[in-house]
Amino acid sequence: MGKQFVVIGLGRFGGSVTRTLLSLGYEVMGIDKDERRVQEYAPILSHVYQADSTDDQVMRELGVRNLDHAIVAIGENLQSSILTTLILKDIGVKFVTAKATSDYHQRVLEGVGADHIVHPERDTGVRVAHQVTSKNMIDYLELSPQHSLVEMIAPPIFCGKTLKTLDFRANFGCSVMAIRRKDNDLVVSPHADDCIFEGDMLVIIGKNSDITRFERTFAD
């Protein structure tokens, strides 16, 4: 898939992100100070380390700066969360997503350079993993253990084509439930002859396996 991720903090939220990234086929490094969590993820992660993410030298030695995207999923320790985010940006990590526990926490994380902020009370680990793996993904909602709904920016290759031409059902196993135009006009249950234009948002529903295949096709 190309992109390489590091998840720092393997608690409930970070673990959910990690497992979803793995299910999508991405390479993931895990880091946590708790030895028990490291042992828990050792069977599924080829690179998982017990380490202090607030030690910049340790982070450099682990080669974190060579990865494409870091996700700071540290829990209630605000100081560690903020310092880790600062270190990641300082050593040159390209993109950092950080978990915030309050609006104040978010403002500080933004101040030290976090590129994207998530709030675990509204952003599940599964949703965040899907969002960070696709530049087109806006939102992701699990409807059931087998089905999901996603909202995404129409890939450029779709522009100028009709739904009939794209044949979502045959090619991706998914259905387009709605199209949101750039002017916020919402086309619900679009017709086969409706055309997709640049900047359109597509609301797509399907089986998780088909949604994942669709995401992988247009992830990068």
Side-chain angles (χ1 to χ4, degrees):
M1 293 298 293
K3 288 183 181 178
Q4 295 178 310
F5 293 85
V6 57
V7 178
I8 302 171
L10 297 173
R12 180 179 300 177
F13 178 76
S16 178
V17 172
T18 298
R19 292 180 184 277
T20 305
L21 288 172
L22 289 173
S23 73
L24 292 172
Y26 288 92
E27 185 176 343
V28 183
M29 175 192 291
I31 297 175
D32 199 290
K33 291 180 69 175
D34 191 329
E35 183 180 359
R36 291 173 299 175
R37 289 178 178 170
V38 171
Q39 292 176 346
E40 177 185 351
Y41 283 88
I44 63 173
L45 292 178
S46 56
H47 302 286
V48 59
Y49 303 99
Q50 180 186 4
D52 181 1
S53 61
T54 64
D55 186 327
D56 62 337
Q57 186 59 38
V58 169
M59 298 296 273
R60 291 178 190 274
E61 290 174 356
L62 291 177
V64 171
R65 62 181 171 183
N66 298 319
L67 305 181
D68 301 294
H69 197 137
I71 299 166
V72 181
I74 295 172
E76 298 301 320
N77 191 327
L78 268 62
Q79 181 175 342
S80 293
S81 165
I82 294 164
L83 184 54
T84 296
T85 302
L86 177 62
I87 287 172
L88 291 170
K89 296 307 296 184
D90 188 53
I91 65 177
V93 176
K94 299 173 186 176
F95 201 95
V96 176
T97 292
K99 165 185 169 181
T101 57
S102 66
D103 289 339
Y104 170 76
H105 190 189
Q106 174 174 341
R107 291 199 298 271
V108 176
L109 288 170
E110 290 172 338
V112 298
D115 300 285
H116 181 220
I117 307 294
V118 296
H119 291 263
E121 67 272 14
R122 66 168 185 258
D123 299 313
T124 67
V126 172
R127 176 185 292 184
V128 170
H130 282 272
Q131 289 175 335
V132 301
T133 54
S134 173
K135 63 182 180 183
N136 297 316
M137 185 68 62
I138 301 300
D139 205 355
Y140 179 96
L141 177 64
E142 280 192 299
L143 301 177
S144 76
Q146 292 80 35
H147 296 82
S148 297
L149 182 146
V150 300
E151 184 178 11
M152 67 180 298
I153 302 170
I157 196 172
F158 286 7
C159 299
K161 298 179 180 178
T162 65
L163 294 179
K164 182 178 181 180
T165 300
L166 291 168
D167 200 352
F168 273 74
R169 175 65 66 180
N171 291 321
F172 307 110
C174 307
S175 298
V176 178
M177 304 299 293
I179 302 173
R180 187 184 300 278
R181 305 295 188 188
K182 290 178 68 174
D183 60 3
N184 281 328
D185 182 32
L186 185 64
V187 181
V188 179
S189 298
H191 191 271
D193 292 329
D194 281 329
C195 191
I196 295 177
F197 301 106
E198 182 180 359
D200 279 354
M201 304 286 296
L202 306 179
V203 179
I204 301 169
I205 191 170
K207 291 183 178 179
N208 290 340
S209 57
D210 293 325
I211 291 289
T212 296
R213 181 164 57 90
F214 182 82
E215 289 180 65
R216 286 177 175 174
T217 303
F218 302 103
D220 297 318

